[in-house]
Amino acid sequence: MAGNSCTVKVKIDNVKKIYDGRNGEVVALNGVSFDIMENEFVCVVGPSGCGKSTLLNIIAGLGNPTSGKVYVDNKEVVGTGIERGVVFQQYALFPWLTVRKNVEFGLKLKKLKKQEITEITNRYLDMVDLREFAESYPKELSGGMKQRVAIARAYAVNPEVLLLDEPFGALDAQTRTQLQSELLETWEKEKKTCFFITHDVDEAIILSQRVVIMSARPGRVKEIVDVNIPYPRTQETKMTKEFLDLKNYIWSQVYQEYLEVRK
Amino acid sequence: MAGNSCTVKVKIDNVKKIYDGRNGEVVALNGVSFDIMENEFVCVVGPSGCGKSTLLNIIAGLGNPTSGKVYVDNKEVVGTGIERGVVFQQYALFPWLTVRKNVEFGLKLKKLKKQEITEITNRYLDMVDLREFAESYPKELSGGMKQRVAIARAYAVNPEVLLLDEPFGALDAQTRTQLQSELLETWEKEKKTCFFITHDVDEAIILSQRVVIMSARPGRVKEIVDVNIPYPRTQETKMTKEFLDLKNYIWSQVYQEYLEVRK
Amino acid sequence: MEVKQKGFAKKRSGIPDFVWLVISILLAFAFWKLLAVMPKTAMVFASPGQVVEAFFKEVKIGVMWDNIGISLFRVLAGFVLGFIVAIPVAFLMGWYKIFKNLVEPWIQFVRNIPPIAYIPLIIAGVGVDERAKVVVIFIATFLVMVVTIYQGVRNVDETLIKAARILGATNRDIFLKVVVPASTPFILVGMRLGLSAALTTLVAAEMTGASRGLGMMIMAAGQYFDMAVVLLGIVFIGIIGLIFEKMMKFLERRLTGWQETHVL
Amino acid sequence: MEVKQKGFAKKRSGIPDFVWLVISILLAFAFWKLLAVMPKTAMVFASPGQVVEAFFKEVKIGVMWDNIGISLFRVLAGFVLGFIVAIPVAFLMGWYKIFKNLVEPWIQFVRNIPPIAYIPLIIAGVGVDERAKVVVIFIATFLVMVVTIYQGVRNVDETLIKAARILGATNRDIFLKVVVPASTPFILVGMRLGLSAALTTLVAAEMTGASRGLGMMIMAAGQYFDMAVVLLGIVFIGIIGLIFEKMMKFLERRLTGWQETHVL
Amino acid sequence: GCSTGNAGSSTSSSQPEKLTKMRVAYMPNMGSASTLVTAIKMGYFKQEGIDVELVQFAKGPDEIAAMGSGNIDVSQIGHGAHTLAAKGQANIITIDDTSLADAVMGNKDKGINTISDLKGKTIGTSLGTSSQVILDLALASVGMTEKDVKVVQMDPSAAVTAMVTGNVDAVAIWSPSTITVKQKMGDKVVTLADNNTYKDQMQFPSSFVVTPTYASKNKDLLIHFTSALFKAMDYRSKPENIKTVADWVAAQIKQDPALIELGEGEGNWLTSKYVYDSVKDGTLKKIYENQQALFVTNKQLPAAVNVDNYVLYDNMKAAYEANNK
Ligand SMILES: Nc1ncnc2c1ncn2[C@@H]1O[C@H](COP(=O)(O)OP(=O)(O)OP(=O)(O)O)[C@@H](O)[C@H]1O
Ligand SMILES: Nc1ncnc2c1ncn2[C@@H]1O[C@H](COP(=O)(O)OP(=O)(O)OP(=O)(O)O)[C@@H](O)[C@H]1O
Ligand SMILES: [Mg+2]
Ligand SMILES: [Mg+2]
């Protein structure tokens, strides 16, 4: 079973983000602070539009916070780094590359040997069941298949910190479950740190050690809930009282926030 | 409570669809036949890539079947028609229009009066909680907000047949539940016919009168399951034995198909 | 391991844009001065001073503004016509295969022919009045714009067209409300290049019998090797071009606010 | 209520493409014949027969192929140079604001100047050998391509750049592996227009002291009002243009297979 | 280039010496190319120890630009480019010919039979050329100016088109365009004035020029060069030779000989003796002075300068004397 070491891997320090929209300013994040330990699995839940993706982008180094800072390994984040991998909410596949080449993209940049690239690519294509479609272009894939390519691509470069933005949203329940266990497996085996955004409270509890509940706009951390259920977690876990209590609690917390939005 | 009249609204007759991919031919649909009654609510579930979106596109008149035919009101479908509305899996918002203008798009084409357009638009913007963001551009929205705009846009033109492709996939559980009830409400009140693709078996059962289970590639109809739970259905419905039995059954059926894909 | 991010970030350098423009212009002047002094090029490059002198001379004769005005009219008339025709033609080419098959080879053929080469043909067909000049510029701008906009039309995301159809859009609606806005980036390049083409064809256009105009001024001065006047004409054409570009920038900002751009 | 779908559907008409091409060419010939017969234009339009005659005459003098060959060389050399320079310049303009601020005004200024107007300047700067012709064509093609490709660079979907960065791409990688492929449609228009510009500037280029070349042939024949030879030159430039276009189509098919297009 | 240093051995063609290379600019017509081509064909340049490379240009100003940048040593220029000489940027090493090519022609169908009929009509011409000057002189002869007519700028080939298609009523152009107009319009066209009409007031010389720097550095070489030109001019001036010369020109500029032969009469084909005499009696000076006065009137030149500053009489004299010693 994986557990936290005591080192802070990602430190989010009083992050604020304001977008200058046409519609005036939108405060997307306001004073968000929390730490993610090395080899920790954190899930983030919160109502639509509360700033989850914004926070993920800032950690990834893709957007600058308006104020506040993010540190990874005690170093301030000033841009992207291959120690942080991202699965984007909207896939962001390269439309001019085949599925295989999309997955190989990061590996080639790492200048790995050809054979190694092929091996790794095949491994992850198998994981997401797309070996058959390796030579297809993204436009020839269904929504769920595109999402799976994005997952394979992010996993392939083997980053220390995985930032996932609703990675399983377009998948059927079965594929979803399977990819959940694959993710947990790699997480345990390879000591990754995971930051995982989801709308599915079940998923959040099954996967994570802590669930961060975000409040409605302006996005703040409403509460961080510890999930003290031992790994490995299975379908049966979902039937335990512990699980159901947690689920109800988190659900009701998010529900409050949701009501907040609806005035 | 809504119920089926005995008129067939949509007739799907032995539809086959083959894509000419780079990778050779992909048989996306093979011999799909079933009817959707007037004012019926049908949900479709099936593993990722099994041809659900393809089928929806064909019903919408956006893609021609390789063989077979689709009839709406006994007339063969040869193109789109405003009696059929679509919420696309990938939103398909017009990036150059504000949220409001996106929703107004179809209404303006209908040549409604200005005041009426504004009224309807506001109604649906309120429904999806985006009145505040009416003047924002799609790029300024979060994933879930984009999806909500797509929903409002499709509802606004008030089509007889609603074709929805995982319309709530990017939404938090609460917003999702709310939009589910809104959908059911309009469906009952305005006698709509709904064809609803989802990965969430709970959602399928809560919403529909029949659940179409599709088999893995080449997509065929594996089974059509009647949902004989009376409306209105609530959160409590999810605790009934009837519901849970159905859920388990459908889940296991899809699971079989999923295993099929994984060989 | 962190990669420094440069560019495509919306960061602006501290120095405001117009300062850069001024620097750029000063550099150009310095370069010009240099060319006017270097023995190899001195004969051809009148110095800035001589050009200014030439300007006042032309103003005094009373032809300067007249030349500018009439040339501007020809350029704009030809360009506007070209634009009005290019948009629907590009669209019809994207829409109706038959139309495309019939029209495209002609366009492909004509667009490579040097304007000076078909001047006599224009004179024979249209005559020597204002129409002839406008026609020459029209042809040049039309061809550039139709090629560009056609690519834009082909490039429109199909799902958006589908979405519009579903909402009840007719072909006309799709053209006006989807294809045109979706190909805005191409239409903008097309307009930019169209305006350039209009100006670069000005000399050729005014070979069809002009008694006024910047192109004529350049040609006539060239006969006497009056390089100050030639450069004066070039400078004015350049300035008109810069003004056009400013207008394009303004238009661009208005039309593509919805776009995610990297540099502003 | 159903809207008939035309166009943007991948349906092809039953008639194959080359038949349309033939029809189009035949129509062009008929039109030409007509122009050569109508009294108003007969004077200027040599008939196809006369042009063929002129062709054999030029072949017999032994200059035809030579003219074509040297012009082709100039056009291609200028174009290739223009392309090689335009790509990185457009990219740097999109990437480094300082570079853009410095370079853009110059480009904006020069691109509106008629090539015939700056011929003397080129001669003074570069001389009268092959280089001068290549430089004239280089300038014309470079300007067209840099404007087009720059728009393409600005138009690249930011999320793709983000995705590449996340995967460890350096600026160079992003340029080569994201910006270039993502702006392929713009690069293609740029190349098309660049090739056109190369051909339309040919006459101007060969004013820089040429004794061979299609442009020179046209100019010289024009002096003697030998319209058959002028048209011969135009026809050959047009044919070269059509061949270029065929090559572009081929390239396009290879490069944009990944794109969702509406018409094939 | 540098001087050959064997000025004395001008006519002795026996020694196979190293030839001095010179690049000479010309335009592809009879008036501009004939002397040069003849000198090459007859071997006159070789005899003088010079290897001439001809470079063809479309316009005089382009030649000057090439000369200014050092890419061309000598240019053969027409009327307009002489402003450069007056401005001190070029020196005339010799006159080549005077033009008989220009003409003002009217379309009878448009009611033009005399110069006075031009009033209010549209006239096509290339501004700044000798043809425009002839037009101005013609208009002046009946008390009109360009303000009384509508003058439009066009290339000669465009002017031909405009004339024959009736888009302009008259043209002021030069050979071979004049010939084309006559061919196409037959007796519908009337020639209202040409160079001969005003030859006392104005002649339009075309000349060989070099930059002043080049002139001062290559005095001897230029004498040799001019000697060769004079021999060629003498050859060309003989009526029995003119057809041969035309055919050489045609070959050089790759044109149909039949077309070029039409231009046999477009110039006053001067002899070296005429040049020598007119240098001595001041006729040549007068020609250039008249031309310069015109430039001043038309504001193409700010003020008159002394013609002696830019016409190298000594060069012509020396060359003639070398040929005739
Ligand atoms: N580029 C932008 N410009 C302006 N506002 C933006 C931009 N991106 C996001 N926003 C705003 O910031 C807020 C948070 O957006 P974000 O994408 O982080 O939400 P989210 O929590 O990921 O939502 P979802 O669950 O729907 O994906 C939203 O209100 C959105 O409108
Ligand atoms: N344009 C296309 N060209 C080629 N193949 C395609 C194309 N669109 C879809 N396919 C193929 O057709 C099959 C069905 O795709 P479809 O989008 O209908 O699946 P889906 O059931 O909607 O899946 P998901 O749940 O992942 O959205 C897939 O195998 C896909 O690869
Ligand atoms: Mg999000
Ligand atoms: Mg789908």
Side-chain angles (χ1 to χ4, degrees):
Chain A
M1 191 209 107
N4 314 359
S5 73
C6 288
T7 347
V8 174
K9 185 75 182 175
V10 181
K11 184 176 188 60
I12 300 156
D13 184 13
N14 202 17
V15 164
K16 181 170 185 167
K17 176 72 183 189
I18 299 176
Y19 287 109
D20 270 327
R22 287 224 323 161
N23 236 352
E25 292 186 347
V26 175
V27 184
L29 294 173
N30 200 354
V32 172
S33 299
F34 63 92
D35 296 346
I36 307 173
M37 300 297 146
E38 198 164 333
N39 193 28
E40 195 183 13
F41 203 125
V42 169
C43 278
V44 181
V45 297
S48 169
C50 73
K52 303 181 291 297
S53 301
T54 303
L55 181 57
L56 181 140
N57 266 310
I58 291 173
I59 300 174
L62 290 170
N64 298 318
T66 310
S67 72
K69 295 218 163 79
V70 172
Y71 304 86
V72 171
D73 288 331
N74 282 319
K75 281 205 311 229
E76 196 189 326
V77 165
V78 288
T80 59
I82 52 162
E83 82 285 359
R84 280 161 287 146
V86 179
V87 178
F88 291 95
Q89 190 169 9
Q90 268 151 40
Y91 321 153
L93 301 182
F94 303 115
W96 55 86
L97 297 181
T98 59
V99 167
R100 174 179 297 282
K101 294 224 172 104
N102 260 284
V103 178
E104 284 176 347
F105 192 93
L107 299 171
K108 284 189 179 156
L109 294 177
K110 275 184 154 181
K111 305 236 176 339
L112 298 186
K113 264 179 270 143
K114 216 165 176 188
Q115 198 202 330
E116 208 175 343
I117 291 179
T118 316
E119 247 168 52
I120 298 176
T121 305
N122 285 342
R123 180 153 80 247
Y124 287 102
L125 284 179
D126 282 338
M127 182 187 90
V128 297
D129 265 326
L130 286 175
R131 187 77 168 267
E132 231 187 298
F133 286 87
E135 306 310 324
S136 300
Y137 283 107
K139 69 163 178 183
E140 299 169 333
L141 303 181
S142 77
M145 288 154 89
K146 281 181 203 161
Q147 190 161 48
R148 285 181 275 155
V149 179
I151 293 167
R153 187 177 66 178
Y155 286 14
V157 288
N158 195 19
E160 295 162 33
V161 180
L162 261 175
L163 308 165
L164 307 107
D165 200 346
E166 302 181 35
F168 305 148
L171 300 178
D172 58 280
Q174 293 71 24
T175 310
R176 189 166 187 148
T177 315
Q178 180 228 329
L179 288 176
Q180 281 169 4
S181 12
E182 305 253 16
L183 176 56
L184 279 180
E185 217 172 277
T186 14
W187 167 67
E188 292 188 47
K189 266 209 309 245
E190 296 172 17
K191 303 260 169 234
K192 290 192 189 305
T193 308
C194 292
F195 178 93
F196 188 108
I197 298 175
T198 179
H199 284 310
D200 186 331
V201 177
D202 278 31
E203 187 171 66
I205 302 173
I206 280 286
L207 290 175
S208 71
Q209 293 166 312
R210 285 194 295 162
V211 176
V212 176
I213 304 171
M214 287 187 62
S215 64
R217 240 173 309 116
R220 268 167 285 109
V221 175
K222 183 188 170 81
E223 191 177 343
I224 300 185
V225 180
D226 286 317
V227 181
N228 287 318
I229 303 174
Y231 295 87
R233 298 162 186 173
T234 59
Q235 286 305 312
E236 282 71 56
T237 314
K238 290 193 184 171
M239 304 296 155
T240 61
K241 182 171 176 323
E242 226 178 333
F243 182 95
L244 289 170
D245 283 350
L246 257 177
K247 177 173 168 177
N248 282 332
Y249 179 72
I250 295 173
W251 211 95
S252 67
Q253 291 302 306
V254 181
Y255 189 59
Q256 260 185 28
E257 286 312 311
Y258 160 76
L259 289 177
E260 195 66 27
V261 181
R262 300 200 53 96
K263 229 153 302 87
Chain B
M1 194 208 106
N4 315 359
S5 74
C6 287
T7 347
V8 174
K9 185 77 183 176
V10 180
K11 183 173 188 59
I12 300 157
D13 185 13
N14 202 17
V15 163
K16 181 169 184 169
K17 176 74 184 189
I18 299 176
Y19 286 109
D20 270 327
R22 286 224 323 160
N23 237 352
E25 292 187 345
V26 175
V27 183
L29 295 173
N30 200 356
V32 172
S33 298
F34 63 92
D35 296 347
I36 307 172
M37 301 295 146
E38 196 162 336
N39 194 27
E40 194 183 14
F41 202 123
V42 170
C43 278
V44 181
V45 296
S48 170
C50 72
K52 303 180 294 296
S53 301
T54 303
L55 181 58
L56 181 141
N57 266 309
I58 292 173
I59 300 175
L62 291 171
N64 299 317
T66 310
S67 72
K69 295 218 162 80
V70 172
Y71 303 86
V72 171
D73 288 332
N74 281 318
K75 282 203 313 231
E76 196 189 327
V77 165
V78 288
T80 58
I82 53 163
E83 82 287 358
R84 280 161 288 145
V86 178
V87 178
F88 292 94
Q89 188 170 11
Q90 266 150 41
Y91 321 153
L93 301 181
F94 302 115
W96 56 86
L97 297 181
T98 59
V99 168
R100 173 179 297 285
K101 295 223 170 105
N102 261 286
V103 178
E104 284 176 346
F105 191 93
L107 299 170
K108 282 188 181 157
L109 294 176
K110 275 185 152 179
K111 306 239 177 337
L112 298 184
K113 264 180 270 139
K114 217 167 175 185
Q115 198 201 332
E116 209 176 340
I117 291 179
T118 315
E119 246 168 51
I120 298 176
T121 305
N122 284 342
R123 181 155 77 247
Y124 287 101
L125 284 179
D126 282 339
M127 182 187 89
V128 297
D129 264 327
L130 286 176
R131 187 75 169 269
E132 232 187 296
F133 287 87
E135 307 310 325
S136 299
Y137 283 106
K139 68 163 177 181
E140 298 169 332
L141 303 180
S142 77
M145 289 155 89
K146 282 180 202 160
Q147 189 162 49
R148 285 181 274 156
V149 178
I151 293 167
R153 188 178 65 178
Y155 286 14
V157 290
N158 197 19
E160 295 161 32
V161 181
L162 262 176
L163 308 165
L164 307 107
D165 200 347
E166 302 182 37
F168 306 147
L171 301 178
D172 57 280
Q174 294 70 25
T175 310
R176 189 168 188 148
T177 316
Q178 180 228 329
L179 288 177
Q180 282 169 3
S181 14
E182 305 253 16
L183 176 56
L184 278 180
E185 217 173 276
T186 16
W187 167 68
E188 293 189 47
K189 266 209 311 243
E190 296 172 15
K191 302 261 169 232
K192 290 192 189 308
T193 307
C194 292
F195 178 94
F196 189 107
I197 298 174
T198 180
H199 285 309
D200 185 332
V201 178
D202 280 30
E203 186 171 68
I205 302 174
I206 280 287
L207 290 174
S208 71
Q209 294 165 313
R210 286 195 294 162
V211 177
V212 177
I213 304 172
M214 288 187 63
S215 64
R217 246 174 303 114
R220 269 167 283 109
V221 174
K222 183 188 172 80
E223 189 176 343
I224 302 186
V225 180
D226 286 318
V227 181
N228 286 319
I229 303 174
Y231 293 88
R233 297 164 185 171
T234 60
Q235 285 306 314
E236 282 72 55
T237 313
K238 291 195 187 170
M239 303 298 155
T240 62
K241 182 171 176 319
E242 225 179 333
F243 181 95
L244 289 171
D245 284 350
L246 257 176
K247 177 172 167 178
N248 282 331
Y249 179 72
I250 295 173
W251 211 94
S252 65
Q253 290 302 305
V254 181
Y255 190 59
Q256 261 186 24
E257 286 311 312
Y258 160 75
L259 290 178
E260 195 66 27
V261 181
R262 300 200 52 98
K263 235 156 297 94
Chain C
M1 216 207 282
E2 263 155 7
V3 182
K4 268 271 171 62
Q5 264 176 300
K6 282 182 203 147
F8 289 117
K10 279 166 189 142
K11 247 184 292 163
R12 286 156 168 277
S13 56
I15 306 168
D17 279 12
F18 79 90
V19 174
W20 283 112
L21 188 64
V22 170
I23 293 178
S24 186
I25 290 174
L26 288 180
L27 274 177
F29 260 97
F31 184 59
W32 182 1
K33 259 287 183 209
L34 188 76
L35 285 176
V37 166
M38 282 204 323
K40 226 183 133 176
T41 46
M43 195 171 234
V44 170
F45 278 90
S47 71
Q50 289 170 303
V51 172
V52 170
E53 230 170 74
F55 170 69
F56 285 113
K57 190 189 80 187
E58 297 288 315
V59 169
K60 230 179 70 195
I61 314 178
V63 293
M64 192 72 231
W65 304 121
D66 197 26
N67 283 341
I68 292 175
I70 192 75
S71 287
L72 210 52
F73 162 76
R74 288 163 187 162
V75 163
L76 285 177
F79 168 76
V80 168
L81 267 179
F83 185 68
I84 290 174
V85 180
I87 292 254
V89 168
F91 173 72
L92 289 172
M93 280 171 61
W95 206 259
Y96 298 104
K97 206 163 158 45
I98 295 187
F99 186 82
K100 175 185 165 266
N101 279 322
L102 280 178
V103 167
E104 203 186 19
W106 288 54
I107 291 181
Q108 302 301 0
F109 190 84
V110 176
R111 78 181 158 91
N112 297 309
I113 300 171
I116 348 184
Y118 55 69
I119 295 292
L121 315 183
I122 300 285
I123 293 179
V126 188
V128 297
D129 53 12
E130 284 311 309
R131 273 183 309 150
K133 289 110 200 149
V134 173
V135 165
V136 172
I137 292 176
F138 160 76
I139 293 177
T141 56
F142 165 75
L143 291 169
V144 166
M145 286 193 277
V146 86
V147 169
T148 318
I149 298 173
Y150 172 59
Q151 180 75 284
V153 169
R154 297 181 52 190
N155 223 45
V156 176
D157 185 354
E158 204 173 355
T159 56
L160 295 179
I161 294 174
K162 286 183 177 172
R165 267 208 202 292
I166 284 293
L167 293 166
T170 59
N171 280 346
R172 195 167 155 275
D173 294 326
I174 287 182
F175 168 49
L176 290 174
K177 297 184 177 164
V178 181
V179 176
V180 168
S183 39
T184 309
F186 284 88
I187 295 179
L188 285 172
V189 200
M191 289 176 77
R192 284 212 161 85
L193 296 176
L195 284 168
S196 276
L199 288 170
T200 54
T201 322
L202 186 61
V203 171
E206 294 185 351
M207 282 183 178
T208 63
S211 41
R212 301 176 299 162
L214 287 173
M216 185 231 65
M217 183 178 102
I218 291 176
M219 289 303 287
Q223 298 278 358
Y224 290 98
F225 210 75
D226 191 348
M227 292 313 285
V229 174
V230 171
L231 281 177
L232 179 67
I234 290 181
V235 166
F236 266 102
I237 289 180
I239 289 173
I240 292 173
L242 289 180
I243 293 170
F244 285 166
E245 177 60 27
K246 276 270 162 277
M247 282 158 41
M248 287 302 305
K249 283 246 168 72
F250 176 76
L251 206 66
E252 187 165 22
R253 261 197 302 277
R254 304 247 5 204
L255 292 181
T256 57
W258 52 271
Q259 258 194 324
E260 320 217 19
T261 45
H262 323 298
V263 189
L264 285 175
Chain D
M1 216 208 279
E2 264 154 9
V3 182
K4 269 269 170 62
Q5 266 176 299
K6 284 182 204 146
F8 289 115
K10 278 164 193 148
K11 247 182 292 169
R12 285 156 169 278
S13 56
I15 306 168
D17 279 13
F18 77 90
V19 174
W20 282 113
L21 188 65
V22 169
I23 294 179
S24 188
I25 290 173
L26 288 179
L27 273 177
F29 260 97
F31 184 60
W32 182 0
K33 258 288 186 210
L34 188 77
L35 285 176
V37 166
M38 282 205 321
K40 220 181 141 182
T41 47
M43 209 67 93
V44 171
F45 277 89
S47 71
Q50 290 172 301
V51 171
V52 171
E53 228 171 78
F55 171 68
F56 284 113
K57 192 190 79 188
E58 297 287 319
V59 170
K60 229 180 67 195
I61 313 180
V63 294
M64 191 74 232
W65 306 122
D66 195 28
N67 282 342
I68 293 175
I70 191 76
S71 286
L72 209 54
F73 163 77
R74 288 163 185 161
V75 162
L76 286 176
F79 168 77
V80 168
L81 267 180
F83 185 68
I84 291 174
V85 180
I87 292 254
V89 169
F91 174 72
L92 290 172
M93 279 172 63
W95 204 260
Y96 297 104
K97 204 161 160 46
I98 295 186
F99 185 83
K100 176 185 164 269
N101 278 323
L102 280 179
V103 167
E104 202 185 21
W106 287 51
I107 291 181
Q108 301 302 359
F109 189 85
V110 176
R111 77 180 158 91
N112 297 308
I113 300 171
I116 348 184
Y118 56 67
I119 294 291
L121 315 184
I122 300 285
I123 294 177
V126 187
V128 296
D129 52 13
E130 285 309 309
R131 271 184 310 151
K133 288 109 197 149
V134 173
V135 164
V136 172
I137 293 176
F138 160 75
I139 293 176
T141 55
F142 165 75
L143 291 169
V144 166
M145 287 193 276
V146 85
V147 170
T148 317
I149 296 172
Y150 172 59
Q151 182 72 282
V153 168
R154 297 181 52 189
N155 224 44
V156 176
D157 186 354
E158 205 175 353
T159 56
L160 296 180
I161 293 174
K162 285 184 178 171
R165 267 207 202 293
I166 284 293
L167 293 166
T170 59
N171 281 346
R172 196 168 153 272
D173 296 324
I174 287 183
F175 168 49
L176 290 174
K177 298 185 178 165
V178 181
V179 176
V180 168
S183 41
T184 309
F186 284 87
I187 295 178
L188 286 172
V189 199
M191 289 175 77
R192 284 212 161 85
L193 296 176
L195 284 168
S196 277
L199 288 170
T200 53
T201 322
L202 187 60
V203 171
E206 294 185 350
M207 283 185 176
T208 61
S211 41
R212 301 178 299 164
L214 286 174
M216 186 233 69
M217 183 178 103
I218 291 176
M219 289 300 289
Q223 299 234 335
Y224 292 95
F225 209 75
D226 188 349
M227 291 316 281
V229 174
V230 170
L231 280 178
L232 179 67
I234 290 182
V235 165
F236 266 102
I237 289 181
I239 289 173
I240 292 174
L242 288 179
I243 294 170
F244 284 167
E245 178 59 27
K246 277 273 162 274
M247 283 159 40
M248 286 304 304
K249 284 246 169 70
F250 175 77
L251 206 67
E252 187 165 23
R253 261 196 302 278
R254 305 244 10 201
L255 291 182
T256 58
W258 53 272
Q259 258 195 325
E260 321 216 20
T261 46
H262 322 299
V263 190
L264 286 175
Chain E
C2 62
S3 135
T4 49
N6 59 341
S9 62
S10 60
T11 45
S12 58
S13 54
S14 47
Q15 315 108 290
E17 288 172 68
K18 235 187 127 221
L19 300 178
T20 309
K21 208 168 160 66
M22 289 178 79
R23 287 158 67 87
V24 183
Y26 73 103
M27 289 166 282
N29 59 59
M30 189 70 188
S32 181
S34 51
T35 313
L36 286 166
V37 173
T38 305
I40 290 173
K41 287 284 174 195
M42 296 298 293
Y44 297 147
F45 283 131
K46 288 249 164 64
Q47 288 170 19
E48 300 292 335
I50 300 170
D51 175 25
V52 162
E53 185 194 337
L54 292 183
V55 184
Q56 181 175 317
F57 283 84
K59 299 190 315 244
D62 297 344
E63 297 178 330
I64 303 283
M67 215 171 62
S69 64
N71 286 294
I72 289 292
D73 299 320
V74 182
S75 296
Q76 205 283 358
I77 59 168
H79 169 69
H82 281 81
T83 43
L84 260 304
K87 284 177 187 163
Q89 286 177 292
N91 288 349
I92 294 167
I93 56 175
T94 179
I95 190 169
D96 184 355
D97 50 47
T98 59
S99 177
L100 292 178
D102 306 286
V104 179
M105 305 169 107
N107 186 340
K108 285 190 194 162
D109 287 356
K110 304 271 180 162
I112 296 172
N113 291 299
T114 66
I115 295 173
S116 325
D117 297 334
L118 289 175
K119 195 172 177 67
K121 300 288 185 185
T122 305
I123 306 168
T125 189
S126 294
L127 299 181
T129 60
S130 45
S131 296
Q132 189 201 2
V133 178
I134 296 287
L135 174 65
D136 288 345
L137 289 172
L139 291 173
S141 72
V142 295
M144 291 197 289
T145 68
E146 285 188 13
K147 293 214 164 65
D148 299 306
V149 297
K150 183 164 183 272
V151 173
V152 291
Q153 148 81 20
M154 38 187 34
D155 258 9
S157 63
V160 172
T161 311
M163 181 71 172
V164 298
T165 54
N167 282 302
V168 294
D169 308 312
V171 284
I173 48 178
W174 61 91
S175 172
S177 304
T178 45
I179 297 163
T180 315
V181 170
K182 275 188 206 135
Q183 280 178 341
K184 303 247 172 193
M185 296 182 70
D187 48 8
K188 285 202 307 194
V189 71
V190 54
T191 302
L192 302 168
D194 58 24
N195 304 75
N196 275 329
T197 321
Y198 307 104
K199 75 166 180 272
D200 301 333
Q201 293 171 53
M202 185 64 60
Q203 292 193 48
F204 298 98
S206 60
S207 314
F208 289 93
V209 296
V210 296
T211 59
T213 340
Y214 188 88
S216 62
K217 282 193 189 148
N218 298 286
K219 277 209 171 75
D220 287 342
L221 178 62
L222 284 176
I223 292 170
H224 284 286
F225 182 77
T226 311
S227 293
L229 290 180
F230 279 172
K231 290 181 209 164
M233 283 160 70
D234 290 339
Y235 181 86
R236 178 183 63 179
S237 67
K238 300 202 175 76
E240 66 271 23
N241 291 340
I242 190 71
K243 186 172 173 310
T244 319
V245 172
D247 291 352
W248 284 336
V249 171
Q252 169 69 29
I253 67 179
K254 301 184 182 77
Q255 278 294 337
D256 189 349
L259 271 175
I260 306 301
E261 284 165 19
L262 293 173
E264 283 168 9
E266 71 185 32
N268 230 333
W269 310 130
L270 310 175
T271 59
S272 60
K273 175 147 193 338
Y274 172 84
V275 176
Y276 185 67
D277 291 345
S278 58
V279 166
K280 283 188 140 174
D281 67 13
T283 313
L284 190 65
K285 181 171 181 174
K286 192 85 198 134
I287 290 176
Y288 285 116
E289 268 173 358
N290 283 342
Q291 183 189 41
Q292 199 195 83
L294 189 69
F295 292 148
V296 175
T297 323
N298 292 342
K299 301 212 167 55
Q300 283 137 1
L301 199 64
V305 293
N306 188 352
V307 167
D308 300 347
N309 291 349
Y310 59 86
V311 182
L312 306 180
Y313 305 117
D314 291 344
N315 179 60
M316 292 177 239
K317 273 195 263 181
Y320 180 79
E321 281 155 10
N323 281 355
N324 295 284
K325 64 173 182 262

